[in-house]
Amino acid sequence: MVVVNHDGVDFLWHCLFALKTQTYLPYEIILVDNGSEDTSVSFVKANYPQVKVMECQENFGFAMGSNLGAKYATGDLVALLNNDAVVTPDWLARMVMDFQDHWPKVGVLASAVKSNKGVEENRKEDQWTLNLLGNPVEGYFEDPQAVFYPEGCSLMYARFLAPEGPFDPDYFIYQEDVYLGWRFRLQNRQVRKAPDAKVFHEPGGTMSKFQGWKTVYYKTRNRWLNLFLFY
């Protein structure tokens, strides 16, 4: 279990407490702290001593932070969870069970994401694929559990399929989940969603501190980067 954090101490209590109270306990929890300037590291060490903390001296971004945590992990399955996400008590058990049920065809599994107000985020995007320009095409998949890529908020994959980590570190943030889904599809692996593995996610969350121009830049650049890499 890997959680990437940057100045997210206000979210970590809820996120880590939910992981601590799982019916199927994580084999290990790794917090990758991307150069936080708040009290994130000291908070985790004081309140969650079982969590392994990787302290980075700078903000490497979500993509490289996830890779660092995944390379440090020792389990057969690696789960990624946003620091501003909160899972239900049976989330991990359902993710593992669903992964086992669809193995070896599945490569990466996504969760069923709800907003923090309990509104289902199962929008049209769940059945979207991408056209030649990387833009979404609605209603492509007949199987309701099939997705083109897993939402980066919460996912699980087999570690041996990506031993150096799931993402290209150049992405920093945004569109790295599209990269992962596309990568595994080219390996003839399915990308699916576990409909009963529920995650509550804070819309905007830690990204509310991210400068607007950077959001536009990374979303646009990384969409084109996906096209260049995979075409």
Side-chain angles (χ1 to χ4, degrees), residues 96-107 109 143 145 189-190 192-195:
V96 171
M97 182 173 60
D98 204 294
F99 203 101
Q100 292 173 338
D101 287 344
H102 293 93
W103 182 256
K105 293 182 178 180
V106 69
L109 197 66
D143 183 347
Q145 270 67 64
R189 299 282 181 173
Q190 295 180 359
R192 299 182 60 84
K193 182 176 69 172

Side-chain angles (χ1 to χ4, degrees), residues 103-107 160-161 184-191:
W103 182 256
K105 293 182 178 180
V106 69
F160 82 93
L161 294 177
F184 277 11
R185 283 184 171 278
L186 290 178
Q187 295 179 13
N188 200 30
R189 299 282 181 173
Q190 295 180 359
V191 183

Side-chain angles (χ1 to χ4, degrees), residues 123-186:
R123 305 172 303 275
K124 297 176 183 177
E125 289 92 327
D126 286 344
Q127 276 70 50
W128 278 1
T129 187
L130 302 179
N131 64 18
L132 291 175
L133 295 178
N135 293 317
V137 177
E138 297 178 12
Y140 178 78
F141 296 109
E142 295 181 1
D143 183 347
Q145 270 67 64
V147 292
F148 186 83
Y149 64 91
E151 185 175 349
C153 162
S154 169
L155 61 88
M156 175 180 286
Y157 70 97
R159 186 165 63 93
F160 82 93
L161 294 177
E164 296 302 312
F167 305 127
D168 184 323
D170 286 340
Y171 280 61
F172 194 81
I173 197 163
Y174 294 123
Q175 295 287 319
E176 74 288 329
D177 44 10
V178 177
Y179 166 90
L180 180 61
W182 210 331
R183 172 184 175 182
F184 277 11
R185 283 184 171 278
L186 290 178

